[in-house]
Structure formats: structure tokens, C-alpha cells
Amino acid sequence: MKITIPASSTLMSGIQTVLNVVPPKTTLPILSNMLLETEGGHLTIGATDLDISIVTRIPAEIKEEGSITVPGRKIAEMVRELPDAPVDIEVDGVKVVVRCDRGVFRLVGIDKEEYPALPDVPSDQTITIPASSLQRLIRKTVYAVSKDETHPSLWGAFLRIGGGSVRMVATDAHRLAKTTLPCEVDDTVTEGIIVPPKALNNLSRLIGESEAPSRITIGDNHVVFDLENAQLYARLIEATYPDYERVIPSGNDKIVKVNREVLESAVRRVSVLSNSTTRQIRYAARPGFIELSSSSHDIGGEAREEVPAEYEGDAMDTAYDFRFLLDVVERIESEDVVFKLDSPVSAGIITPSEEESEGEDYQCLIMPLRLTDVEN
């Protein structure tokens, strides 16, 4: 293989696209490498950890076709320090020579034949949706994915496509986030797949601010996201996702409406003196306002703050993990946040006060904490 890349910044951009997937430690040394391969007048750069694979292409002048795998993090460190000048890469067997400006760097690679092949995912089930829609789905749900190793079905986000909509749901049994967006697909592409959060976080990073269309191809064990500048392959979690609709209450008739920015700031202030273990704050709804309060046995401190709110029901006290509250409020874009409550011991529903994106339905559930754990 013998190629010239127009600038080191172009090469670095391609390397950074896939670098997150290169495992820092692995029992399979080949996974520490990146695959470099010529294809159709471009240089293809790929990386995998066997669960996630990312492939991207950058422009290059191809003088001799070929392929090689090189140590991923080492070549990233090297290219990052190069001047922004054309880069020549020449491969002879497993010996790799990189030239840029006056520098010459030699590496030993591993033959492509030892590198894991990309999953073969048939294109029978493929849809196209805006990348920005994927970004919204991920941002508004992935934070609620469970880390509990005893419930594998909750280790990922549930993705359902069909009936004119695309939906993503995540829950850790203490909270739930559900987002539904319109999608130009009438048939049911999938009744539901479970995508790992690592894949979704990498997908979000790759999408960035892109508005370009993206294609989703769903196979038996893998899903492929085909973006403007990269492809991401992810192994699906093989489990049955719980019936999340059953846990969404329908009788929450105590409605509290509060300014999002004011609430977020108040929660942050009051949380400073919350219990470091439970992270609890008391949420007391009163006509015309809500009172947030916290206390810490560790330092003997307490905090209390009133936040103006639209509420006309009976007084009700409950308590939440302040981090759970902030996770939701930070992702709501409307001016006001709406709380739909029922009782101090039942799940509260949190939604934007108005539709944030055309046809979007976003709602979150948070289970309350025991009031007896919070001091007055």
C-alpha cells in the first residue's frame, strides 16, 4: 500500500472518528489496532471492540492499493503532533513508514487477515431518518439506562420503529425516559431492539450537529447506523424489554407548572446540602409555589428555597434524588416544566410544557424516595 493524505488534520479527523472504540486494554492484541485500507479512491479507517465497530473514509491519493492494521493509540498520538502537511504512508509486508514534512516514522503493523471482519447485516430492514432525530432520541433517554448487572434487559435503550414513528425508551427501574418522534415509515420495521449505551453515546458523538439523513439497518444480532461520514455497527442486547407502558400512570391529576431555569438553579443550590449518600431533596407542592429543602447529617447543614409555580391542589410532600431531577430538567427545552403527581409514594411524570419538536412526545417518570429519610 502506498498513499498520500492531503493533510495530517484530515488523517487525524479520521482517526479520532474511530479511536473511542479502540479498547485501552484487551486480551486480544489485534483489537488495539486500527484497520487502514484503500477503497474507491479513499482511505478507510476502522476500529472494533467486537461489540461496536466504527468505519470512516477520508480522501487520499492512492498510488498502490493495500491494507494493514496499526497500533491505534500510538498512531493517534503520532499524527496529533504532526505539522498540518501532506502525509505519505507506505506499507511493505507488516512494516509501515509514515512521512510528513521532514519527519519519518516507522511502525510494525499486523496483517488485515487477522482483524475481525465487520458483521454481515442484510439490508432487508432499512429506514432513513434525519440524524438530528436520532440525536434527540439519544440525548433525551440514554441517561436513564440501567447499570444494574442483575437486569441485562435494562442495560440498553429500547428502540422501536413503525407505524409512522420512532421511539426510544430507557429505564433503570427508578426512573424512565420515553421519546417518540414522527418517522416516514408505515410498516413496522422492528417491534423493538435493545441498543447498548456505549453504541448510542458513540453514535451521538458521530452525529454532532449534522442534519443529513441517516440510515438504520436492523439485523438479527446487530444494527448498523449509516451516517454522513461514518458507519457504526453495534451488537444488540439479546433480551426481552419489560412492558414499560404498564408502569406509566394515567391518574396523575395534580399538575405543577414551574419555570425550567428557575427550578434547575434552585435544585442545584439546595442539593449542595443534601445527604451525600441518598442525594435526596424534599419537593413540597403548595398553592402558588413549590418548596425545595434538604439536610445533611454529615455536616449538620440544611437548605430551603421556595420556587414560584402554578399549582392549585392540596399540599403534597414528596422527595426525589436531586440528580434524577436534574437529568430530566437539563434535557427539557421548553420554558416551563410540568409535573403530574398523584401521591407522595407514586411515580411522578415530568414533561415539557409545550411540544419542543414537531410531533415529539417526551415524558419521564421518577420514583419518589421515602419522606422519612428527609428531615424537615
Side-chain angles (χ1 to χ4, degrees):
M1 183 172 79
K2 192 174 183 180
I3 63 173
T4 298
I5 294 133
S8 64
S9 57
T10 302
L11 178 57
M12 192 65 220
S13 175
I15 290 172
Q16 284 180 322
T17 297
V18 306
L19 187 61
N20 270 22
V21 180
V22 177
K25 294 182 180 179
T26 174
T27 55
L28 293 175
I30 189 66
L31 297 184
S32 297
N33 282 21
M34 289 180 184
L35 174 63
L36 308 181
E37 185 172 23
T38 58
E39 181 184 333
H42 290 78
L43 175 67
T44 296
I45 305 175
T48 184
D49 64 3
L50 299 182
D51 290 321
I52 303 170
S53 304
I54 298 179
V55 179
T56 189
R57 297 199 308 169
I58 61 172
E61 180 187 347
I62 311 299
K63 298 168 185 175
E64 288 182 17
E65 301 279 349
S67 62
I68 191 68
T69 75
V70 293
R73 298 192 180 277
K74 281 298 178 186
I75 196 168
E77 291 174 13
M78 184 187 75
V79 174
R80 188 178 288 116
E81 301 303 329
L82 294 177
D84 198 15
V87 180
D88 296 316
I89 300 178
E90 188 172 350
V91 178
D92 182 12
V94 294
K95 296 178 180 178
V96 183
V97 180
V98 180
R99 294 182 175 88
C100 181
D101 196 20
R102 299 180 183 182
V104 181
F105 309 87
R106 289 179 171 86
L107 298 168
V108 177
I110 301 176
D111 194 270
K112 177 201 169 183
E113 300 305 316
E114 297 186 36
Y115 203 71
L118 289 172
D120 183 17
V121 182
S123 59
D124 301 350
Q125 297 188 89
T126 299
I127 66 156
T128 300
I129 67 172
S132 57
S133 294
L134 268 179
Q135 187 72 285
R136 290 188 72 82
L137 290 169
I138 296 167
R139 178 177 178 272
K140 287 177 173 281
T141 57
V142 73
Y143 67 89
V145 169
S146 175
K147 296 178 178 66
D148 184 354
E149 295 183 0
T150 62
H151 295 93
S153 63
L154 303 183
W155 288 353
F158 179 79
L159 178 64
R160 183 188 184 281
I161 305 170
S165 68
V166 54
R167 172 178 294 175
M168 189 171 283
V169 182
T171 181
D172 61 6
H174 300 289
R175 55 182 173 173
L176 180 147
K178 182 182 76 167
T179 307
T180 307
L181 290 169
C183 174
E184 294 181 5
V185 54
D186 296 325
D187 298 331
T188 299
V189 178
T190 173
E191 290 290 354
I193 57 175
I194 306 176
V195 188
K198 183 179 178 181
L200 293 174
N201 287 325
N202 272 283
L203 180 61
S204 176
R205 176 180 60 84
L206 293 174
I207 291 171
E209 302 296 325
S210 174
E211 295 287 341
S214 60
R215 289 188 303 163
I216 305 175
T217 303
I218 299 167
D220 292 335
N221 308 110
H222 291 82
V223 60
V224 184
F225 299 94
D226 197 346
L227 307 174
E228 184 179 21
N229 62 344
Q231 285 182 311
L232 185 147
Y233 296 73
R235 187 188 301 275
L236 299 174
I237 295 173
E238 297 182 41
T240 301
Y241 206 73
D243 184 0
Y244 56 89
E245 295 286 6
R246 281 179 47 198
V247 304
I248 301 176
S250 57
N252 289 25
D253 56 0
K254 296 181 174 65
I255 309 299
V256 181
K257 186 177 179 181
V258 59
N259 181 274
R260 179 184 60 81
E261 291 185 359
V262 173
L263 175 64
E264 181 179 346
S265 297
V267 170
R268 290 188 186 281
R269 286 190 291 271
V270 172
S271 68
V272 172
L273 294 178
S274 65
N275 184 289
S276 59
T277 303
T278 63
R279 304 187 302 193
Q280 295 184 65
I281 62 171
R282 179 186 288 268
Y283 180 102
R286 301 288 187 269
F289 68 94
I290 55 175
E291 183 183 82
L292 304 175
S293 59
S294 66
S295 62
S296 172
H297 295 292
D298 299 335
I299 62 174
E302 62 179 34
R304 191 180 304 271
E305 183 167 343
E306 291 184 3
V307 178
E310 295 180 22
Y311 179 61
E312 298 177 355
D314 297 333
M316 191 182 83
D317 293 4
T318 188
Y320 297 112
D321 181 322
F322 78 83
R323 186 64 254 178
F324 287 4
L325 272 178
L326 288 176
D327 280 341
V328 176
V329 174
E330 287 170 351
R331 288 163 176 81
I332 286 179
E333 300 160 7
S334 65
E335 183 177 354
D336 297 319
V337 177
V338 174
F339 288 78
K340 300 176 182 178
L341 309 173
D342 180 40
S343 73
V345 295
S346 60
I349 300 176
I350 308 175
T351 67
S353 61
E354 57 191 26
E355 191 176 83
E356 298 180 332
S357 179
E358 186 176 354
E360 181 181 63
D361 178 22
Y362 180 50
Q363 59 180 183
C364 304
L365 267 69
I366 300 182
M367 291 300 297
L369 303 173
R370 292 177 57 195
L371 276 169
T372 51
D373 293 339
V374 185
E375 293 185 353
N376 285 312

